[in-house]
Amino acid sequence: MFNVKQMIEEVLSKKEIKNVSFVGCGGSLACFQPAHYYIQEEAKNVKSFYISSNEFVYDTPKSVSENSIVVIASRRGNTAETVEAGRVAKKKGATVVGLQLETGTVMEDVADYIIQFTDGVDNDFAQTKGAYALAIAYEVCQQVEQSGQYDAMVLAMSKMDGILNAARENLIPDAIKFSIDYKDDKTIYTMGSGTAWSAAHQQSICIFMEMQWISSCVIHTGEFFHGPFEITDPNTAYLLFKSTGKTRALDDRAIDFISQYNHHLTVIDGAEHGMNDLGEVSEYYDALFYSGIIGVYNNLLSDMRNHPLSKRKYMWKYNY
């Protein structure tokens, strides 16, 4: 298991850390949002950026310098825009940390540190991509300026495997119902707030659009009443990941409205499946909880629709 604490100690022995950029595409970007959110909420002086890879390449923040850490991620270690973002960061003098699933990749030629993450429900949560990113965030806050909720975050990390394993089993009946109720929908809207928003984002773009060819859009519950709620009718398909933290009131407001005019809403609430055991820091783990359990729903939905999650029209088949 890669030692994030030791890595941050080593970087700090050579230079200051003034900002951290989390850079990726698709699911690799989505899983970085909790880490970015944590620094934004808890840091006193360290700044955080959350940027799509090609945007970082063409519009690099001016504060990226020798006092920066730039974290990039790619499952195969070869996403062209992400690797190029790493090269741009290196030219700025930043320390580049690369997260990858495979080995022997081009990312290894770019990054100062390579973290091999694991994937799948049978692996240690602390070694997953999003968990490593979150560990980088809380280690930077703690070691640079003694800010954040370090002990609580470390303890929460150790509890996530048990919470996820129990939730995946307990949610099977709900997932079966979801697959039946949503199998014929042509459009599904995902919703969330806090870090749960990024799980909704990933579900929308990576699962519904990419893997199921279902039209989708992610809606922040705080923005719902500023335009999106007008598309609500009795049959509008909604999937909402509920925050267990301070933004929970935003979700409740949206749920209350939708429930009056709609009968096609599924709410998954981590508070009902162990996330309250994490205490005040649960909100920082929400996205990783939802991303960790939603596969139960997605596998059943793909089976019900006879549309394998591996099916593609364009991705990896054409030059783009």
Side-chain angles (χ1 to χ4, degrees):
M1 181 174 177
F2 188 89
N3 192 321
V4 173
K5 181 177 182 179
Q6 184 177 336
M7 177 186 73
I8 300 303
E9 289 173 348
E10 186 174 304
V11 174
L12 284 170
S13 71
K14 301 173 185 177
K15 64 182 187 180
E16 290 184 81
I17 299 173
K18 294 184 178 180
N19 55 70
V20 183
S21 293
F22 296 97
V23 181
C25 300
S28 290
L29 178 62
C31 80
F32 279 163
Q33 192 259 2
H36 165 68
Y37 194 92
Y38 180 85
I39 294 176
Q40 277 198 323
E41 292 293 308
E42 299 287 348
K44 301 170 185 174
N45 298 300
V46 174
K47 303 301 180 186
S48 178
F49 301 97
Y50 173 71
I51 312 175
S52 185
S53 297
N54 231 13
E55 184 167 352
F56 184 91
V57 170
Y58 286 98
D59 194 12
T60 314
K62 290 182 172 59
S63 56
V64 174
S65 68
E66 67 274 6
N67 296 121
S68 304
I69 292 178
V70 175
V71 187
I72 59 176
S74 169
R75 288 177 62 87
R76 300 183 180 191
N78 64 354
T79 305
E81 304 100 306
T82 302
V83 173
E84 184 59 25
R87 293 193 183 102
V88 169
K90 288 287 286 183
K91 290 177 183 177
K92 298 283 186 179
T95 298
V96 178
V97 180
L99 280 68
Q100 61 179 22
L101 182 64
E102 299 185 7
T103 60
T105 72
V106 292
M107 184 182 287
E108 295 170 9
D109 298 328
V110 173
D112 298 288
Y113 297 92
I114 285 288
I115 299 177
Q116 299 291 151
F117 64 83
T118 57
D119 200 7
V121 297
D122 296 325
N123 293 303
D124 182 357
F125 171 82
Q127 297 183 52
T128 59
K129 182 169 45 176
Y132 272 126
L134 196 52
I136 291 170
Y138 64 65
E139 285 293 346
V140 166
C141 287
Q142 173 67 14
Q143 294 191 39
V144 172
E145 56 182 37
Q146 292 75 55
S147 64
Q149 303 184 65
Y150 184 76
D151 291 339
M153 291 295 287
V154 173
L155 180 60
M157 185 75 76
S158 71
K159 293 181 176 181
M160 282 298 291
D161 275 319
I163 291 171
L164 284 168
N165 288 336
R168 290 185 190 109
E169 182 173 348
N170 293 335
L171 284 165
I172 289 173
D174 189 61
I176 293 172
K177 183 178 186 305
F178 176 86
S179 69
I180 295 169
D181 291 348
Y182 287 71
K183 63 182 176 63
D184 296 321
D185 285 303
K186 305 302 182 185
T187 301
I188 303 174
Y189 296 98
T190 64
M191 301 180 69
S193 66
T195 71
W197 175 88
S198 67
H201 175 218
Q202 181 171 337
Q203 178 69 16
S204 177
I205 69 168
C206 295
I207 306 300
F208 289 148
M209 287 198 275
E210 176 189 334
M211 299 185 186
Q212 288 296 286
W213 305 351
I214 297 171
S215 293
S216 183
C217 177
V218 59
I219 305 169
H220 193 287
T221 55
E223 288 291 290
F224 182 62
F225 295 99
H226 302 278
F229 73 147
E230 285 291 343
I231 54 89
T232 303
D233 64 30
N235 298 308
T236 307
Y238 289 111
L239 171 64
L240 189 150
F241 297 146
K242 194 168 184 179
S243 170
T244 64
K246 293 184 287 293
T247 64
R248 190 173 176 88
L250 282 65
D251 302 337
D252 281 330
R253 184 185 177 201
I255 292 167
D256 289 346
F257 175 86
I258 294 171
S259 298
Q260 294 180 61
Y261 304 103
N262 173 274
H263 56 70
H264 203 18
L265 165 67
T266 292
V267 177
I268 308 177
D269 186 358
E272 298 176 354
H273 297 281
M275 288 296 285
N276 282 350
D277 291 347
L278 304 185
E280 189 177 346
V281 301
S282 67
E283 62 183 336
Y284 298 125
Y285 285 88
D286 278 344
L288 305 183
F289 169 82
Y290 292 118
S291 296
I293 60 91
I294 198 62
V296 178
Y297 292 72
N298 293 333
N299 285 319
L300 287 167
L301 180 65
S302 67
D303 288 345
M304 191 64 65
R305 299 181 71 245
N306 194 28
H307 187 121
L309 294 170
S310 59
K311 190 174 182 179
R312 302 291 187 279
K313 284 186 290 189
Y314 308 111
M315 189 171 283
W316 306 310
K317 295 184 177 182
Y318 300 95
N319 291 325
Y320 51 87

